Amino acid sequence: MEKDMDGPGDDLLVKQAKEGDVEAFSELARRFQQRIHHAILALTGNLQDADDLTQETFMQAYTTLKSFKQQASFFTWLYRIAVNLTLNFLKRKKKEKMKEAFSENLSLELNSEASVHSPEQNSLKKELSTKLKEAIDFLPLPYRVSFVLVVFQGMTHGEAARILRCSENTVSWRMHKARKILQAKLKPYLKEGRDET
Amino acid sequence: MRHKKIQKWLSDRKDGELSEKRKKILEMHLERCVSCRSYGEDLERISEETERVKLPEVSSSYWEDFTHRLKAKISSIPEEERKGKELLLRWRWALAAALSIFFVALGLLLHNTQDKTFQEVYLSSFEGSLYEIYQHLGSDPELEEAFNSILLASIAENVEIDRMNTYLDFYEDRHFWENFSEEEIDFLEAAIRKEEKL
């Protein structure tokens, strides 16, 4: 049983939580809630949605904890729940999103036309940051999830693959494709930035 | 094709997933390929900018409230609801075990029934039928005696037929004589009589 400086190890807490120890589960939640929330927030881009989905993640983890066979780490298992819930949530919102995407892409095109020719480099920098956020939000879901886990959560391809239940090679290709899309979308802004430096 | 591979390697290198050997090949390629070098610079820029992307921050009081709400929610979950999956799993095992026992029992039953049927057929054909007849004749000794004599006569008749079939002499078969001439037949008859006298 693993133990660390901050108290009992995850395995022990999981065992206690399985037996119905609410305190033990609350401690597990305290340990992982910020990272889970951060990943969900990066995927949804909305604080309220992130809050709801993080709560739902822990609720589901608590109710199904007895089925957790501890073959993977609790952290990986928890992430799987969070990613699945978030993906389902985003798919449900897909129609709405597509409508938004259409209008925002339209404005992106119009703005990019204007900004490329803008003489103000500071506004270009700001614009790049904004456009990057938008471009990440509009990445296809499998690419976005991989990108968030690897870039924002600092995971290795192997760790992301275990959560997404796919091969490392798949994560590697998704990362490459995601970067290709981002580079294509941000090309005008990147060019300006390079000229500036 | 080669440029596509190099661009993929640039992405892998950014994530720290590229082997040393490939890193060297990549560097060599970048020294002489302007387009891949430019793509690499774009990725670098995107990476720097991504690090600057800040998600909305939440205060420590938010997390206190979050934990409090979560604890209240999970405390209200009935224990039966938590066992849902495990119970289902247990029931599945119980069902599988019950079905296995049922099929094993059914197999044994069929096997035994088949054996019994065979025995019954066998007994009713021979010993069984005799036993049943004697059960009926037991109360009447005259009838039993008559049955016994018929049975013995039937056995004797069968034995006689068997003996005739088994011990028939070759010269008693009429077909034996068909292919001989008159002189030959006379000669053979004389020889047989002579042998019978001996």
Side-chain angles (χ1 to χ4, degrees):
Chain A
M1 207 62 67
E2 59 183 82
K3 272 199 162 205
D4 57 33
M5 297 291 283
D6 302 324
D10 294 348
D11 287 348
L12 179 62
L13 289 173
V14 168
K15 196 183 165 203
Q16 290 170 340
K18 273 185 177 179
E19 287 160 8
D21 189 337
V22 175
E23 272 305 325
F25 189 79
S26 299
E27 177 53 32
L28 283 169
R30 251 178 241 119
R31 287 183 186 184
F32 300 113
Q33 60 195 14
Q34 292 197 32
R35 288 195 73 185
I36 294 287
H37 183 271
H38 189 265
I40 296 173
L41 186 58
L43 284 167
T44 60
N46 181 294
L47 258 178
Q48 188 55 52
D49 290 342
D51 182 273
D52 292 345
L53 286 164
T54 310
Q55 286 272 341
E56 211 179 323
T57 299
F58 284 105
M59 289 286 286
Q60 192 167 313
Y62 185 72
T63 49
T64 58
L65 192 62
K66 289 188 176 183
S67 67
F68 172 49
K69 291 172 188 164
Q70 289 177 266
Q71 285 163 346
S73 68
F74 177 71
F75 173 70
T76 303
W77 183 70
L78 201 61
Y79 251 95
R80 261 182 216 155
I81 297 174
V83 167
N84 286 338
L85 283 174
T86 309
L87 287 180
N88 287 339
F89 169 81
L90 291 173
K91 279 173 197 166
R92 279 201 303 272
K93 280 205 157 185
K94 200 179 177 180
K95 279 190 179 177
E96 270 178 57
K97 282 258 177 189
M98 277 174 79
K99 281 181 192 170
E100 284 173 28
F102 178 74
S103 57
E104 285 185 32
N105 272 340
L106 195 66
S107 65
L108 173 79
E109 295 299 320
L110 293 171
N111 289 341
S112 66
E113 285 286 320
S115 55
V116 167
H117 302 291
S118 167
E120 307 224 3
Q121 298 299 332
N122 276 345
S123 79
L124 262 177
K125 261 194 169 181
K126 261 189 183 178
E127 204 142 8
L128 175 62
S129 177
T130 315
K131 296 302 169 197
L132 177 64
K133 274 186 203 170
E134 287 173 357
I136 293 169
D137 281 349
F138 291 113
L139 281 174
L141 271 182
Y143 299 165
R144 197 182 345 159
V145 176
S146 299
F147 193 82
V148 164
L149 293 181
V150 174
V151 175
F152 288 100
Q153 297 280 297
M155 288 184 190
T156 63
H157 289 181
E159 286 168 338
R162 275 193 290 282
I163 288 165
L164 300 173
R165 290 183 189 270
C166 62
S167 69
E168 282 186 40
N169 204 30
T170 304
V171 174
S172 174
W173 273 102
R174 283 179 185 173
M175 290 303 294
H176 168 55
K177 295 275 181 192
R179 287 189 169 112
K180 284 283 276 184
I181 294 169
L182 293 180
Q183 190 257 354
K185 276 212 165 203
L186 303 170
K187 210 169 177 76
Y189 309 95
L190 294 167
K191 189 176 177 291
E192 287 298 325
R194 237 196 337 264
D195 291 347
E196 181 200 356
T197 54
Chain B
M1 183 64 193
R2 182 152 175 82
H3 297 287
K4 277 186 186 175
K5 195 194 266 183
I6 291 294
Q7 287 176 2
K8 159 92 169 41
W9 285 4
L10 278 165
S11 171
D12 285 344
R13 186 176 70 172
K14 204 85 221 88
D15 298 331
E17 303 275 351
L18 195 70
S19 68
E20 287 302 317
K21 194 182 166 187
R22 284 185 175 178
K23 270 184 199 170
K24 281 176 190 164
I25 300 168
L26 177 69
E27 288 300 334
M28 280 162 68
H29 179 89
L30 291 178
E31 275 174 25
R32 58 177 192 273
C33 180
V34 181
S35 71
C36 286
R37 199 163 56 237
S38 166
Y39 179 77
E41 285 166 4
D42 282 353
L43 288 199
E44 207 54 52
R45 205 60 224 290
I46 290 169
S47 178
E48 284 166 16
E49 211 57 48
T50 310
E51 277 170 29
R52 280 191 215 120
V53 170
K54 281 185 182 167
L55 295 169
E57 283 184 16
V58 284
S59 62
S60 56
S61 62
Y62 169 86
W63 289 117
E64 278 170 33
D65 177 56
F66 181 92
T67 315
H68 182 72
R69 279 186 291 137
L70 180 68
K71 204 170 163 183
K73 275 185 188 173
I74 60 173
S75 300
S76 66
I77 296 171
E79 194 58 20
E80 307 86 69
E81 230 172 90
R82 289 195 66 215
K83 284 176 180 171
K85 271 201 169 178
E86 203 185 51
L87 267 183
L88 189 70
L89 208 65
R90 279 186 193 164
W91 273 110
R92 225 180 272 166
W93 281 111
L95 189 67
L99 280 171
S100 305
I101 292 167
F102 172 75
F103 283 118
V104 168
L106 188 70
L108 283 170
L109 187 72
L110 282 172
H111 181 72
N112 287 339
T113 311
Q114 273 184 341
D115 285 353
K116 206 174 175 183
T117 309
F118 174 73
Q119 281 173 357
E120 275 172 0
V121 169
Y122 179 76
L123 284 171
S124 64
S125 303
F126 299 98
E127 292 90 346
S129 56
L130 272 176
Y131 177 76
E132 271 193 39
I133 289 165
Y134 280 117
Q135 284 277 315
H136 284 93
L137 301 176
S139 53
D140 191 340
E142 281 183 17
L143 205 58
E144 191 180 347
E145 200 182 325
F147 176 75
N148 279 339
S149 61
I150 291 166
L151 189 68
L152 284 169
S154 162
I155 293 167
E157 192 180 339
N158 281 329
V159 167
E160 184 62 23
I161 289 166
D162 283 351
R163 194 196 66 78
M164 282 169 72
N165 288 336
T166 313
Y167 299 109
L168 191 72
D169 288 326
F170 69 94
Y171 54 83
E172 285 174 359
D173 183 354
R174 62 187 175 87
H175 299 295
F176 176 76
W177 302 101
E178 282 174 1
N179 296 320
F180 295 111
S181 64
E182 291 289 317
E183 292 82 355
E184 283 170 331
I185 291 168
D186 288 343
F187 173 78
L188 282 169
E189 273 183 344
I192 290 164
R193 275 191 208 106
K194 196 178 170 183
E195 196 171 303
E196 278 179 346
K197 278 179 190 172
L198 286 170

